[in-house]
């Protein structure tokens, strides 16, 4: 089922929850809505589900406009962060509830629930009540309840947020696998970018009710179109420095007080064309310790992350860089280091419009 | 005891610590305990004692020792009051009235209407819902005397009666509501007040049901009515038990509105058990308040109340319910 949102807007009184969003989710596609808290992800999802009526704009399922269609006639399955299992029903009761409402016969309910439950690995828990299950088991029941009705669309609202890190990792794979296997169009709301980057075919990045970008994970990461996306996607976040880009003898250089780094022409040229001060973005993994580096700074803080050490390096009063360093280098706070920036992957942004100078 | 042993794993704590934990528990229970003692157990013992005496205006004394020992005049009459009560020609009718009054007011209004108002007002605009609920609280905060005066005006005969003025406008014959079927009005005027209690409890219970759960039910394919039946009502089991139990007991003992409305009607037609107890004990029939006889009525009321409360707790499996959160949230 293809889902089309056209100029979708939701206002609560004077509060704008969702502001003029237009995007299409292709049939069978897995799309993540990613954004900080309060940016309107849940509101958008609830409009797709039919719980909220849009203030303006159109929602289409296939060709059909569904703005006025109640949730029960949309054939959607939804999984909530809180699991939202009915506490007074058994696992079987929970999973068969959508079928019961569809007036499916008792025998078929049994068959279909058992089949889905077995697939989810909860086949032997059908007589339990939600209160007698672990969080992970509850989430499987919730997922099972959403799948058992064979929905056209699957909606997820931060389904893994309440699980521990290991379980989250394995459920991530399972959900992704199930969605591809069943070929059901899915919208997955999360504020965890790792989840979005690993699971989604495309990611809709939202900020303050607006759609900032709608792109494949690689594009968001390697070709961010706005300053917000560059800073939001990636952990630890991208470093930003104010520089001027100038051309000397056919080569481009990014320059500020303590920095002078050569930029490849395809990136340097658009930045130089803009002229004046621009914002240079470099990811922490693209900054390396090098004796012949372009920048010097003093290490202010060392955060061991396990595989890497995250260094907070102060270049001068205003400029600082996050750097991922090999723990074997034994850098300590207070050390002076020289750094080299991988300008092959440098990003440039217009400081006024906050748009990328490289991609649009 | 259970509290103390739970708090102290075997051998891990000394005796004095266990005793202190127990003391703390009793400390917290004490205020409620004192209230129950003074306002339930002591009055009950007094009433039990009075019910085996023939204390009345004619042989009034405050000397309990004299009452207990005096042979002439004799005060202790043992079961005489109860014998007389069972022989009372009106008693069966009053008992029937009581059950009729309690059950119909409870089911139609205190629970039924309360539930309907709270379901309706939680499904509309929040402020409108709040406004409508506030309206329903008005009867409760009106003084009973004024409230009954209004009802009397509503049912009075022409030219004062409001209903009869409408009858006149519509060209219908005048009706004598006051004599005609007082039960309709007695149940309504009690119910309009009683509904607000359930309304408040049910509303807060409905509003504390997690939004996700309600949304899940719609996504699963339920209509609004199916959601009420399958999800909301089952989650209201505890508030329902509470309102039913509490309101049964308060209706059993409430008689002031009937007293003010029609004193129980002619030939005890609308008299309920608590009103009968009041009439016998305190309302001077033939200028003779019969405290002993009235107390016998009151004792029966206490027994009915305790039995009904016990039955409710069994039916709703009270023990199971208090062991869990009131509204189960996962
Ligand atoms: N029922 C409502 N009434 C008024 N304002 C609302 C309502 N629901 C959401 N909002 C507002 O709309 C905005 C978007 O909320 P929404 O719940 O969609 O955010 P979200 O992206 O899901 O955030 P989170 O990650 O915290 O769940 C917020 O500013 C919120 O305060
Ligand atoms: Mg949300």
């Amino acid at each position: 089922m293809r889902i089309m949102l056209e100029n979708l807007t939701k206002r609560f009184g004077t509060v704008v929850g969702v502001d003029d969003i237009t995007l299409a989710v292709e049939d069978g596609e897995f799309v993540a809505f990613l954004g900080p808290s309060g940016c309107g992800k849940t509101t958008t999802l609830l409009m797709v589900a039919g719980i909220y009526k849009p203030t303006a704009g159109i929602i289409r399922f296939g060709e059909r406009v569904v703005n006025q269609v109640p949730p029960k006639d949309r054939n959607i399955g939804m999984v909530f962060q809180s699991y939202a299992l009915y506490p007074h029903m058994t696992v079987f009761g929970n999973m068969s509830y959508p079928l019961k409402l569809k007036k499916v016969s008792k025998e078929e309910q049994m068959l279909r629930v058992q089949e889905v439950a077995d697939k989810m690995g909860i086949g032997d828990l059908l007589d339990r009540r939600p209160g007698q299950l672990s969080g992970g088991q509850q989430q499987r029941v919730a997922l099972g309840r959403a799948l058992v009705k064979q929905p056209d669309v699957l909606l997820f609202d931060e389904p893994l947020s309440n699980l521990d890190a290991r379980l989250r990792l394995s459920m991530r794979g399972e959900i992704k696998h199930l969605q591809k296997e069943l070929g059901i169009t899915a919208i997955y709301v999360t504020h965890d970018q790792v989840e979005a980057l690993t699971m989604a075919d495309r990611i809709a990045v939202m900020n303050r009710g607006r759609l900032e970008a709608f792109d494949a994970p690689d594009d968001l990461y390697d070709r961010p179109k706005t300053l917000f996306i560059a800073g939001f996607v990636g952990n630890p976040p991208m470093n930003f420095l104010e520089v001027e880009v100038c051309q000397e003898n056919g080569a481009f250089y990014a320059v500020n007080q303590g920095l002078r780094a050569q930029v490849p022409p395809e990136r340097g040229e658009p930045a130089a064309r803009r002229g004046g001060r621009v914002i240079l973005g470099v990811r922490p993994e693209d900054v390396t310790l090098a004796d012949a580096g372009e920048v010097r700074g003093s290490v202010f803080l060392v955060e061991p992350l396990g595989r890497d050490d995250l260094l907070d390096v102060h270049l001068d009063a205003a400029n600082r860089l996050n750097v991922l360093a090999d723990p074997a280098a034994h850098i300590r706070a207070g050390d002076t280091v020289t750094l080299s920036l991988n300008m092959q992957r440098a990003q440039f942004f217009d400081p006024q419009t906050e748009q990328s100078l490289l991609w649009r | 005891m259970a509290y103390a042993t739970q708090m102290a794993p075997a051998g891990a704590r000394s005796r004095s610590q266990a005793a202190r934990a127990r003391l703390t528990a009793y400390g917290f229970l004490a205020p409620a305990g004192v209230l129950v003692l003074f306002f339930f157990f002591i009055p009950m013992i007094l009433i039990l004692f009075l019910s085996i005496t023939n204390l009345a205006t004619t042989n009034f004394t405050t000397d309990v020792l004299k009452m207990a020992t005096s042979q002439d005049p004799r005060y202790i009459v043992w079961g005489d009051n109860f014998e007389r009560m069972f022989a009372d020609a009106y008693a069966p009718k009053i008992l029937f009235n009581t059950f009729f009054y309690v059950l119909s007011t409870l089911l139609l209004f205190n629970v039924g209407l309360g539930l309907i108002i709270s379901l309706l007002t939680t499904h509309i605009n929040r402020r409108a819902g709040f406004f409508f609920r506030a309206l329903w609280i008005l009867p409760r905060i009106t003084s009973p005397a004024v409230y009954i005066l209004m009802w009397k005006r509503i049912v009075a005969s022409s030219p004062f009666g409001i209903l009869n003025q409408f009858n006149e406008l519509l060209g219908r014959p005048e009706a004598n509501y006051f004599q005609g079927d007082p039960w309709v009005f007695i149940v309504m005027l009690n119910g309009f007040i009683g509904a607000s209690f359930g309304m408040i409890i049910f509303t807060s219970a409905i509003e504390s049901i997690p939004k996700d759960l309600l949304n899940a039910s719609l996504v699963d394919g339920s209509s609004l009515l199916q959601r009420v039946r399958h999800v909301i009502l089952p989650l209201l089991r505890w508030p329902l038990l509470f309102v039913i139990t509490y309101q049964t007991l308060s209706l059993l003992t409430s008689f002031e509105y009937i007293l003010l409305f029609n004193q129980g009607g002619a030939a005890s037609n609308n008299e309920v058990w608590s009103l009968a107890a009041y009439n016998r004990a305190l309302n001077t029939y033939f200028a003779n308040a019969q405290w002993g006889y009235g107390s016998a009525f009151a004792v029966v009321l206490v027994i009915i109340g305790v039995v009904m409360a016990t039955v409710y707790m069994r039916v709703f499996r009270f023990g199971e319910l208090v062991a869990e959160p009131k509204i189960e949230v996962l």
Side-chain angles (χ1 to χ4, degrees), chain B residues 150-322:
Chain B
M150 293 182 346
W151 273 95
K152 282 189 160 175
R153 258 308 161 85
I154 290 171
V155 302
S157 49
S158 323
F160 310 110
I162 295 173
L163 287 178
N164 270 320
Q165 283 184 7
F166 280 108
N167 280 339
E168 206 170 307
L169 275 177
L170 298 170
R172 287 200 308 220
E174 156 141 18
N176 190 340
Y177 296 108
F178 198 66
Q179 306 271 304
D181 203 348
W183 273 129
V184 173
F185 294 98
I186 289 175
V187 168
M188 276 213 304
L189 65 87
N190 273 284
F192 280 15
I193 294 176
S196 59
F197 181 83
M199 172 190 87
I200 291 169
I201 305 272
F202 297 141
T203 301
S204 68
I206 292 171
E207 288 190 335
S208 68
I209 297 175
K211 276 277 168 301
D212 278 358
L213 208 54
L214 298 176
N215 289 344
S217 149
L218 291 183
V219 170
D220 280 344
S222 69
S223 63
L224 286 178
L225 269 179
Q226 284 171 322
R227 182 171 76 173
V228 169
R229 262 202 21 235
H230 301 314
V231 180
I232 297 179
L233 284 185
L235 291 176
L236 293 185
R237 202 165 84 146
W238 161 260
L240 269 170
L241 161 71
F242 173 68
V243 170
I244 290 175
T245 312
Y246 189 92
Q247 295 287 53
T248 303
L249 301 183
S250 71
L251 280 169
L252 271 176
T253 56
S254 101
F255 60 86
E256 65 275 27
Y257 292 98
I258 304 178
L259 179 71
L260 287 166
F261 189 67
N262 69 354
Q263 288 88 41
S268 295
N269 271 339
N270 310 112
E271 195 170 16
V272 293
W273 204 268
S274 53
L275 180 57
Y278 169 80
N279 278 337
R280 305 295 182 278
L282 299 166
N283 208 6
T284 54
Y285 265 30
F286 317 113
N288 181 10
Q290 307 174 62
W291 294 296
Y293 189 36
S295 297
F297 273 79
V299 167
V300 171
L301 201 60
V302 170
I303 293 170
I304 294 176
V306 169
V307 167
M308 294 203 74
T310 315
V311 168
Y312 282 142
M313 290 188 177
R314 282 285 146 80
V315 170
F316 285 91
R317 285 180 291 175
F318 183 79
E320 208 176 285
L321 275 166
V322 286

Side-chain angles (χ1 to χ4, degrees), chain A residues 10-13 15-18 35-46 52 81 157-158 189-191 206 209:
Chain A
K10 178 70 182 174
R11 281 188 285 270
F12 303 98
V15 180
V16 181
V18 171
S37 189
C39 71
K41 307 181 295 286
T42 299
T43 306
T44 312
L45 203 68
L46 290 178
Y52 286 161
Q81 178 179 352
D157 193 354
E158 311 200 18
V189 160
T190 179
H191 60 236
M206 294 181 66

Side-chain angles (χ1 to χ4, degrees), chain A residues 130-168:
Chain A
Q132 302 165 319
L133 301 176
S134 73
Q137 289 167 332
Q138 288 182 30
Q139 193 53 286
R140 280 162 202 272
V141 176
L143 189 54
R145 180 178 66 182
L147 288 174
V148 79
K149 66 196 284 199
Q150 298 167 349
D152 295 326
V153 180
L154 269 174
L155 305 177
F156 299 89
D157 193 354
E158 311 200 18
L160 305 183
S161 304
N162 290 358
L163 300 180
D164 71 56
R166 272 181 67 145
L167 203 51
R168 211 178 307 163

Side-chain angles (χ1 to χ4, degrees), chain A residues 272-327:
Chain A
R273 186 146 31 88
R274 160 68 169 67
R277 298 204 145 245
V278 295
I279 295 172
L280 162 69
V282 196
R283 293 201 182 276
E285 61 266 32
D286 294 328
V287 185
T288 42
L289 298 172
D291 293 334
E294 303 95 346
V295 214
R296 282 172 74 85
S298 69
V299 178
F300 184 69
L301 194 70
V302 180
E303 280 182 66
L305 300 180
R307 202 181 47 177
D308 302 299
D309 279 351
L310 177 63
L311 313 183
D312 181 6
V313 180
H314 287 205
L315 307 183
D316 50 57
N319 292 310
R320 41 170 59 186
L321 282 176
N322 281 327
V323 183
L324 286 177
D326 189 346

